[in-house]
Amino acid sequence: MKLATFNINGIKARIEALPRWLEAAKPDAVALQEIKSVDESFPRQMFEDMGFRVETHGQKGFNGVAILSRLPLEDITRGLPGDDSDEQARWIEATVMGERAVRLCGLYLPNGNPAPGPKYDYKLAWMARMKTRVAELLLTEEPLVIAGDYNVIPQPEDAANPMAWADDALFLSTTRAAFREIVNLGLTDAFRACNQAPGQYSFWDYQAGAWEKNNGIRIDHLLLSPQAADLLRDCRIDREVRAEERPSDHVPVWIGLAA
């Protein structure tokens, strides 16, 4: 089973690039972030014609997550539990029914800048809610993949220039500590389990020649439960997607599971 995460930075802007990548990469299921579309406006028919089931949790102009799957999906839920007043569309779950069922959570974790401030408080509160939800899901002892744009730089080696991010909400010690609390529930960072070499990133700013200089950061992650980690065969970053016309500022990251 091939599962991927891809922050597309707007479905309208990526209406041609995303189908090309799906045809080339052939994921069984992909968690999308920043679709920036309400559910009714998402171009569902295009992806259904390609053989995908489409589940969205949209929001006008901002945020928005989705799952596209060539395999059947069951038990779809939308929204991160723990705060009924939270209207931001950042979390979606579904069980991907392959030879072995895998619970896939797609997330777009808050950026949190400027920090300190209300946006950073929201980020940390959201991560606390996520930790609670992940702990609940781990109790099922079933394969679990939590995939998305975490807006977290876990370690200095995950940034080309760590000092440039020293005061950013993505790299503050409190952010990384909250991320470690989630990982320490018993999750595996799929990419680092398969790749230890430096200079491997999933996001590059559009400005200042960041892509050409490989001045990037790794903030798109797939965290695996022990049951999913046992199935892990590979994890890679599709860097070449950045060379596409009108690319997103992120590129896809995918895993191969023996499931």
Side-chain angles (χ1 to χ4, degrees):
M1 182 184 291
K2 186 175 183 179
L3 303 177
T5 177
F6 191 1
N7 181 324
I8 57 172
N9 193 15
I11 185 61
K12 291 181 180 178
R14 244 53 68 190
I15 198 67
E16 296 179 357
L18 178 58
R20 284 198 299 268
W21 174 75
L22 290 169
E23 288 290 356
K26 299 188 182 332
D28 292 299
V30 54
L32 301 177
Q33 302 88 47
E34 282 201 277
I35 62 173
K36 298 181 180 178
S37 167
V38 295
D39 297 335
E40 296 78 10
S41 297
F42 191 85
R44 171 184 301 270
Q45 190 65 49
M46 170 187 292
F47 299 103
E48 290 178 344
D49 290 346
M50 295 175 66
F52 286 96
R53 295 159 177 84
V54 179
E55 297 293 341
T56 61
H57 180 36
Q59 182 177 344
K60 185 176 181 179
F62 299 94
N63 306 324
V65 289
I67 293 176
L68 310 182
S69 179
R70 296 183 190 274
L71 297 169
L73 295 175
E74 294 187 358
D75 192 21
I76 298 101
T77 63
R78 296 167 175 82
L80 183 64
D83 183 357
D84 292 339
S85 68
D86 187 1
E87 297 181 351
Q88 297 192 30
R90 294 181 176 273
W91 183 272
I92 189 169
E93 298 180 23
T95 300
V96 183
M97 304 302 294
E99 291 185 14
R100 183 168 183 180
V102 175
R103 188 67 174 171
L104 176 62
C105 302
L107 68 103
Y108 177 44
L109 202 148
N111 179 286
N113 283 303
K119 291 185 177 180
Y120 190 61
D121 294 341
Y122 174 67
K123 180 187 186 98
L124 293 180
W126 202 95
M127 295 179 80
R129 288 162 52 203
M130 177 181 170
K131 179 184 174 183
T132 298
R133 179 57 181 157
V134 171
E136 292 173 351
L137 290 168
L138 287 171
L139 292 176
T140 67
E141 297 187 353
E142 295 177 349
L144 169 68
V145 175
I146 309 158
D149 176 359
Y150 281 69
N151 271 314
V152 175
I153 305 168
Q155 301 291 340
E157 57 266 32
D158 295 312
N161 184 6
M163 291 304 297
W165 299 88
D167 297 321
D168 194 281
L170 278 63
F171 194 56
L172 290 175
S173 60
T174 44
T175 301
R176 291 184 286 138
F179 180 79
R180 285 194 301 272
E181 286 187 14
I182 295 170
V183 173
N184 288 345
L185 292 172
L187 303 178
T188 295
D189 179 340
F191 187 77
R192 284 303 177 206
C194 298
N195 305 272
Q196 296 299 320
Q200 303 187 79
Y201 312 120
S202 62
F203 170 92
W204 298 261
D205 194 276
Y206 287 125
Q207 301 177 358
W211 166 247
E212 291 76 11
K213 299 173 184 175
N214 198 28
N215 183 12
I217 53 177
R218 189 176 73 94
I219 57 174
D220 301 271
H221 311 299
L222 296 103
L223 300 184
L224 313 184
S225 69
Q227 295 78 15
D230 286 345
L231 303 172
L232 181 63
R233 296 295 178 265
D234 198 5
C235 181
R236 300 189 185 183
I237 296 174
D238 274 355
R239 281 180 52 94
E240 62 271 18
V241 176
R242 186 60 189 247
E244 282 270 4
E245 184 180 356
R246 297 192 69 193
S248 172
D249 43 7
H250 296 250
V251 295
V253 186
W254 60 264
I255 57 171
L257 299 179

